[in-house]
Amino acid sequence: MPETATYVDPRRWKALIFIALAQLMVVLDATIVNIALPSAQVDLGITDANRQWVITAYALAFGGLLLFGGRVADLWGRKRTFIIGLIGFAVASALGGAAANQGMLLGARALQGVFGALLAPAALSLLAVTFTEAKERAKAFGIFGAIAGGGGAVGLILGGVLTEYMNWRWTFFVNIPFAVVAATGALLVIREPAGSRNPSRLDVPGVILATLGLVSLVYAFTRAESDGWLAGPTLGLFVAAAVLLLAFVLVESKVKAPLLPLRVVAERNRAGIYASLGLAVIGMFGLFLFLTYYLQIVKGYTPVTTGLAFLPMIVGMITGSTQIGARLMTRVRPRLLMAPGFTVAALGMLVLTQIDLDTSYPALILPGFLLMGLGMGTAFMPAMSLATHGVQPRDAGVASAMVNTSQQVGGAIGTALLNTIAASATTAYATSHAAGARSADLLKLQSMVHGYTTAIWWAVGILALAGVIAFTFINTGRPGGGSPVASSGEGEGTVVGSSEDQDQDQVHGEGQGEGEVQVPVMVH
C-alpha cells in the first residue's frame, strides 16, 4: 500500500475567515432582499406580477449553473474561481444597488446568481481541500455549517436594519465590502494544494442538459406557486425538467469526462447527505417566509424587530454547530448527530404550529426558535463535512456544488410548495368561517395564521423525513475513528490505492467516504 503525506497549510485558519466571509455573503443574499423587496417595488414601480422575479431571477441563475460552477472550480482552480466569483458578485451587487428601473434590477439579480454559482462551490471545495485532519476538519466545518445554517436568518436581521434605517439599495451595496475583504484575503492567504485540479475537458452537453434541467425544475415550482400545480405551463415545465435531467444522467454515464461523475452521487453516504439537506431546506425556507409575515402582519413587528426575533435561532445554530456538532463529530457517527439534529429541529417546528393571534413570543416562539437552531446547527455541521469528505480532489468542486444545488433546489421547492399549501388552507378557512366572522379584518388574520400553521405542520413532517433518510442512508463511521482500511462495509476508513474511476492513473482513496487523508500528495 502506498504511503501518503498530507500537505498542511500553515495559514489555513486565516483562509477559513475569508472562505466563511464569502459563504456568509452568498447565504445572506438569499434572504436579505426579501425584507427590502416591498420598498424596492414602490421605488422602481415594479408591478405585483413582476416582483417575484427579483427573487426568481437569482434562484434560476444560481440553481441552474451550480453544477457548471463546481466543475469550473475543478478545472480552473478553486482559488481563481473563488476570486472571480467574489469580484463578479460585487459588480452585480453594485449594479443592483444603483438600479434605475425594473429591468436593471432583474438583470443585476440574475448576474448575482451567475457569479454566486461560481463562488459557492469554490468556497466549500476550498474548505474541503484545505482542512484534512479529522479534528481540525470538524472545527472548520462547524464554523462553516453555522454560517450556512444561520446566514439566512442573519439576512433577515440585516435586511430589516438596512431597509428601516438606511435604504433598500444598501441590501445590495453591503455585499461590496464583504467581497473586497474576502477577495483580498484570498489573494494573500489561500493556497490550493498542488495536483488537485481536474485536467479533463469540460462536458459541454452535460452543462447544457444540467443547466436547462435545473432551471426548468426551479421555474416549474415558481410557476406552481403563482399558476397552480395542474396548470399547463407548470406541468410542461415539470415534464421538461424530468426529460432533461434523465438525459443528463444518461449522458454522464457515457462520456469520458462527465460534468457530474456519477460516483459522486452514487456513494451511499453522500446521496443521503444531498437528500436530507434538500428536505431540511424545504422546511426551513418556507418557515422563514411564514414567520416573517406572521411577525410583521399579525404581531405588528417592525422590520428590525422581526429580524431581531430570529436572533435566538441564529444563536442556537451557532451553538449546535460549534459546541455540539464540532465537539462530537470525531467521537460519534455522523448519522447519530444528523438524525437527532433534524428531529430536534422538527420538534421546534412542532412548537410553532401552536401560534395564534395573541401568541406570546417568550413563552412559545422563543423556545421553538431555540430548538430549531440547535437542531439544524447540529445536523448541518457533519452534513457539510461529510458531503465532500472522501471525494477525489479532482471532484471536490462538483461535490461541493451538489451540496449547494440540493439546498437551492430545496429552497425553491419549499417556498413554492409550502406557500401553495398555506394559500389553500387560508382560502378554505376564510370560506368556511365567513358566516360567523365578527369582522373582516379579524377573519383575514385568523385565516392567515391557519394557513401558516397548516404549512408548518407539513414542514414538521418534511424535517422528520430528513432525519429518517439521514439515519437510514448515512452509515459511515466517525472521522478518524477507523483503521486506514475500510472494514466490514461500514465505511470506517479510506482505501488508499483503490479507485472508482479506472481510467485515471492517480488514485485518492474514494473508498467508503471516510478516513483522515483528504488531499494526499502521493509518494510512490
Side-chain angles (χ1 to χ4, degrees), residues 188-457:
L188 295 175
V189 304
I190 291 179
R191 289 181 180 176
E192 187 174 357
S196 62
R197 294 188 188 180
N198 187 333
S200 304
R201 289 184 178 181
L202 184 64
D203 171 22
V204 176
V207 169
I208 295 172
L209 289 170
T211 301
L212 291 178
L214 289 173
V215 166
S216 297
L217 183 63
V218 173
Y219 190 35
F221 278 99
T222 302
R223 290 297 297 262
E225 182 182 358
S226 57
D227 298 348
W229 294 96
L230 298 179
T234 304
L235 292 176
L237 284 166
F238 276 122
V239 171
V243 171
L244 288 165
L245 292 175
L246 179 59
F248 171 70
V249 172
L250 293 175
V251 167
E252 299 307 276
S253 67
K254 302 294 184 183
V255 298
K256 185 177 181 180
L259 173 69
L260 175 62
L262 297 184
R263 60 178 174 268
V264 172
V265 292
E267 200 276 323
R268 172 175 178 160
N269 291 283
R270 280 192 291 277
I273 292 290
Y274 300 144
S276 59
L277 274 183
L279 286 169
V281 172
I282 287 176
M284 288 293 290
F285 264 62
L287 187 76
F288 281 156
L289 187 64
F290 297 140
L291 291 179
T292 298
Y293 278 100
Y294 171 76
L295 293 173
Q296 288 193 38
I297 297 176
V298 179
K299 302 293 289 182
Y301 289 10
T302 66
V304 171
T305 306
T306 299
L308 291 174
F310 283 94
L311 190 58
M313 185 188 298
I314 300 171
V315 173
M317 284 182 174
I318 294 172
T319 303
S321 185
T322 61
Q323 300 303 311
I324 301 175
R327 290 178 181 273
L328 294 181
M329 187 177 168
T330 56
R331 301 178 184 179
V332 301
R333 291 171 176 261
R335 70 176 181 179
L336 298 182
L337 288 173
M338 289 185 62
F342 287 136
T343 302
V344 169
L347 290 175
M349 281 195 181
L350 187 63
V351 171
L352 295 173
T353 60
Q354 304 306 306
I355 58 173
D356 208 336
L357 295 182
D358 57 353
T359 296
S360 166
Y361 178 86
L364 190 139
I365 299 174
L366 177 60
F369 277 174
L370 287 172
L371 286 172
M372 283 182 56
L374 284 170
M376 294 302 287
T378 301
F380 264 64
M381 188 267 142
M384 289 291 179
S385 178
L386 192 61
T388 56
H389 195 65
V391 297
Q392 301 176 32
R394 65 181 185 272
D395 294 333
V398 75
S400 302
M402 276 300 300
V403 178
N404 289 284
T405 300
S406 66
Q407 291 178 313
Q408 186 66 23
V409 173
I413 292 172
T415 302
L417 174 64
L418 297 181
N419 266 353
T420 302
I421 291 170
S424 299
T426 298
T427 302
Y429 185 93
T431 302
S432 62
H433 290 75
R438 287 181 290 178
S439 74
D441 290 340
L442 180 61
L443 177 62
K444 181 179 179 181
L445 292 177
Q446 290 173 332
S447 301
M448 287 172 59
V449 172
H450 176 73
Y452 298 156
T453 56
T454 301
I456 294 172
W457 272 108

Side-chain angles (χ1 to χ4, degrees), residues 37 59 338 345 384 465 480 502:
L37 183 54
M338 289 185 62
M384 289 291 179
L465 179 59
Q502 297 300 326

Side-chain angles (χ1 to χ4, degrees), residues 53 57 92 95-96 101-114:
W53 283 100
L95 291 172
N101 52 53
Q102 172 180 295
M104 188 173 174
L105 180 63
L106 296 182
R109 286 291 284 165
L111 198 60
Q112 278 186 315
V114 171

